[in-house]
Amino acid sequence: MAPIPLNGKNVLYRILNSLGKLWGSGNNLSFSYIRPNRLAYILPLSIILTLCDQRNTYMTPTEVFLGSDKSTIAFAAYAVGTIFVLFFIMKHLIGGIKSLAAIAAISFAVWIALPDSDIRNAVMLVFQFAIGGSAIYATYAHVFVLNNSERMFSVLFATFNYGFSVFAQQNGINNVFLAVIYPGALVLVLLVCACMFKAVAFPDTSPEKSIEPPKGIYIVLLCPLAFFLLDVFGEAIVNRGPGDASLRGTGAMLAVLIAVIVHFGLRRGVWFLLSFFLILATVGFMLLAFPVSARLSSVGNFLFGIGDGFGNILVFYIVGLLKKYRNDKFFWRITLATVCSMLFAIVVLDVTVRLAENYLGIVAVALAVTCLFLFQALSPKMQRSVFGSDWIDDFVRPDMSYIIMEKFDTMTMLEPGAAGADDAEGAADADAGRFKGLKLSPREEEVAMLLLSGLSLRQISAEIGIAESTAYGYSGTLYKKLGINSRAELFARFGVRAVAVVGEAMGGGNSGDGVNGVNGGDDGSDENFRGEAL
């Protein structure tokens, strides 16, 4: 079949069709899933993103330092800090984040005490470097410790702070509170959270536990590339335009409100944010690049602010897809690519300002239109590789794995009634004793965990990359070794209660879990249950 030409009518059809499909995607987010005992892991990334976004409240972006404006140099120092941690000290998770959070706190205090000078500016770069490095560890916690609802809450909090800081700064509220007290308090909270990081909270991501992701998943890297390019260019043309720049912050805060309603209220998926981000950014750029009046320029600021807020939420939320694979190498690749996207955007903006500052708006519009058309041209491939892939289910089905993990983290997997089963000291190393004495193979342990998380055998086969018949085989040997005949008995064995959920949320279907003659009641209805810790 010949490809459909990309004329205006077909592009509009693709955009509307894409929005319709993305709106149809669902999620299972709920504020009730946010665990207070995980605040130390929820807050760091939000704080770090807030400190990075609010850098213009504690420095004057128009002032020049090291040949460029302070804001751009600070952003570069932040990015260099992330790369340094990725390449050299990423494995030292607990000690690394504690050390960098301490350096950030000390350098911020020194910066406050010093008079305005090059030394003071250099100290600020040390601070930005430290929070940039801390961002890697915070992202690791964001990916591997938090559930979907906690991740969404984290990025919503960061995006709201970003919008508020822009609004406050542009309205002349850049006083001691915003420039010193508020960022200083955030740094102290970051230090406290870092001191509360515990290795036991992080899952085993060793090679034998990792799952290789599908190659098509790397197409999602286009999302952060597009976001950072449009974000830095948008900020530049907003600050140079005649309109009310504070409306960009208002738009970002409104984006957070819309996201809360859509994701937590209507339970819609996050993917529609991608198209809305590109559309609103493009329209906003056009109004900003060709300002007919200050009023229209202000409208452009507002539309870009909403789109930019959507993009910020989307990019940092979808990073959570890494959780499924427990793959350190995959985390390293995706995170490095994201950081390089930030650096690339900064370099492109800096070169454009140096060589063609008068054409900055035109370049921004060209980038926005290119990204919009590129994503629409790639929509069939995006549909196959992203929206149609198995890993997208992680954003749809109930995120119950964290409940199962918490249950396992507070008990040892000894035979019921055995000595030490209720011993708090014996539960200290839950990972080592989780299936102690049950003689299960590593793959059988993994299948047991996924069964307890509420997945069907069909979903498990896709999850760990094995044939469905092989998943049936592992389930059969697992049941035999445990001396049980149904998933309900499996739940009961490990202190988990089976509760009914909507079949559609689990992906639908009635595949059945009867395996190798070990039926025991595991029929199609089994797929309509999930595990919940007692």
Side-chain angles (χ1 to χ4, degrees):
M1 181 181 294
I4 301 175
L6 284 178
N7 56 44
K9 182 179 179 181
N10 288 325
V11 170
L12 178 61
Y13 171 78
R14 282 190 175 188
I15 292 174
L16 295 176
N17 187 50
S18 173
L19 289 175
K21 287 183 177 180
L22 298 182
W23 177 258
S25 63
N27 69 47
N28 203 270
L29 300 180
S30 171
F31 286 115
S32 63
Y33 293 164
I34 298 173
R35 300 162 290 175
N37 65 346
R38 283 293 185 264
L39 276 178
Y41 303 93
I42 295 173
L43 294 178
L45 185 61
S46 296
I47 290 172
I48 290 167
L49 292 177
T50 300
L51 289 170
C52 181
D53 289 330
Q54 288 185 328
R55 63 190 181 277
N56 289 345
T57 64
Y58 46 81
M59 64 178 68
T60 306
T62 55
E63 292 182 359
V64 176
F65 179 58
L66 297 180
S68 187
D69 66 90
K70 286 185 180 180
S71 182
T72 301
I73 290 293
F75 202 7
Y78 174 93
V80 170
T82 62
I83 291 178
F84 177 80
V85 170
L86 270 177
F87 276 94
F88 300 107
I89 57 175
M90 177 182 158
K91 292 183 178 180
H92 304 284
L93 176 65
I94 306 301
I97 191 169
K98 290 180 180 179
S99 300
L100 286 172
I103 292 173
I106 294 170
S107 58
F108 191 83
V110 172
W111 174 79
I112 293 173
L114 289 174
D116 194 17
S117 63
D118 285 346
I119 295 178
R120 187 172 189 256
N121 292 332
V123 171
M124 175 51 61
L125 296 188
V126 172
F127 168 72
Q128 293 290 335
F129 176 90
I131 64 169
S134 300
I136 298 299
Y137 299 124
T139 302
Y140 200 85
H142 179 83
V143 170
F144 293 115
V145 176
L146 306 183
N147 61 51
N148 289 340
S149 297
E150 292 162 346
R151 290 191 197 99
M152 178 58 76
F153 175 80
S154 175
V155 296
L156 288 176
F157 178 73
T159 304
F160 182 84
N161 274 293
Y162 155 69
F164 174 73
S165 67
V166 171
F167 176 84
Q169 181 193 16
Q170 296 297 332
N171 280 285
I173 313 177
N174 189 14
N175 52 23
V176 175
F177 174 77
L178 284 176
V180 177
I181 297 176
Y182 187 54
L186 290 177
V187 172
L188 287 178
V189 174
L190 175 63
L191 180 59
V192 171
C193 290
C195 292
M196 295 175 67
F197 268 41
K198 305 294 182 184
V200 70
F202 295 85
D204 182 4
T205 56
S206 57
E208 61 271 13
K209 293 289 186 180
S210 65
I211 303 169
E212 190 64 28
K215 293 182 179 179
I217 203 172
Y218 286 100
I219 199 170
V220 299
L221 293 175
L222 290 174
C223 295
L225 177 61
F227 168 72
F228 288 118
L229 272 173
L230 300 188
D231 179 58
V232 298
F233 271 85
E235 182 175 354
I237 60 176
V238 165
N239 291 335
R240 287 169 169 79
D244 184 356
S246 69
L247 288 174
R248 176 166 64 99
T250 305
M253 289 188 286
L254 178 60
V256 172
L257 177 61
I258 295 173
V260 169
I261 295 172
V262 169
H263 301 315
F264 286 98
L266 301 177
R267 299 289 183 94
R268 295 296 89 198
V270 298
W271 298 104
F272 83 98
L273 295 179
L274 174 59
S275 288
F276 273 113
F277 159 59
L278 294 170
I279 293 170
L280 291 172
T282 301
V283 175
F285 280 9
M286 287 180 175
L287 293 174
L288 291 167
F290 311 106
V292 177
S293 66
R295 180 173 296 180
L296 284 179
S297 182
S298 296
V299 173
N301 291 340
F302 181 65
L303 294 178
F304 170 69
I306 299 175
D308 199 37
F310 284 159
N312 193 70
I313 294 167
L314 171 70
V315 166
F316 290 103
Y317 179 69
I318 63 173
V319 172
L321 66 91
L322 301 169
K323 172 188 175 184
K324 173 176 181 175
Y325 303 103
R326 294 194 177 191
N327 191 315
D328 283 338
K329 289 184 179 179
F330 184 47
F331 175 88
W332 190 91
R333 293 169 190 161
I334 292 286
T335 307
L336 178 63
T338 302
V339 174
C340 288
S341 296
M342 294 171 56
L343 286 174
F344 178 75
I346 293 171
V347 170
V348 172
L349 174 64
D350 193 60
V351 170
T352 304
V353 170
R354 290 173 185 271
L355 300 181
E357 184 172 7
N358 293 334
Y359 299 96
L360 185 64
I362 297 175
V363 174
V365 171
L367 282 173
V369 171
T370 299
C371 288
L372 179 60
F373 274 74
L374 176 64
F375 276 89
Q376 294 311 315
L378 287 173
S379 86
K381 185 173 179 60
M382 293 283 285
Q383 182 67 32
R384 290 193 305 270
S385 301
V386 181
F387 311 122
S389 295
D390 293 327
W391 64 266
I392 202 71
D393 292 340
D394 285 349
F395 296 102
V396 179
R397 61 175 175 243
D399 187 358
M400 298 305 301
S401 59
Y402 74 93
I403 292 181
I404 304 300
M405 291 296 295
E406 281 194 337
K407 183 64 182 177
F408 284 146
D409 285 342
T410 56
M411 63 183 289
T412 52
M413 307 316 298
L414 301 179
E415 291 294 332
D422 297 322
D423 189 345
E425 292 183 359
D429 191 1
D431 283 335
R434 183 174 296 162
F435 296 102
K436 185 176 180 180
L438 299 180
K439 299 180 179 179
L440 300 180
S441 68
R443 185 64 88 181
E444 287 166 349
E445 293 179 4
E446 187 173 20
V447 169
M449 287 289 297
L450 295 172
L451 285 170
L452 289 167
S453 297
L455 274 66
S456 69
L457 289 173
R458 181 181 300 164
Q459 291 170 323
I460 290 173
S461 67
E463 179 94 5
I464 60 180
I466 60 176
E468 190 172 346
S469 59
T470 305
Y472 272 67
Y474 281 125
S475 179
T477 56
L478 168 68
Y479 280 23
K480 288 178 181 179
K481 288 182 179 181
L482 297 178
I484 59 177
N485 295 308
S486 70
R487 192 183 298 207
E489 291 183 56
L490 181 68
F491 289 154
R493 176 64 176 273
F494 294 112
V496 178
R497 178 176 65 245
V499 295
V501 296
V502 180
E504 182 177 304
M506 296 297 299
N510 285 322
S511 63
D513 280 0
V515 290
N516 290 357
V518 185
N519 188 297
D522 270 10
D523 55 17
S525 62
D526 198 34
E527 195 165 332
N528 293 325
F529 288 86
R530 60 171 166 81
E532 187 173 90
L534 292 171

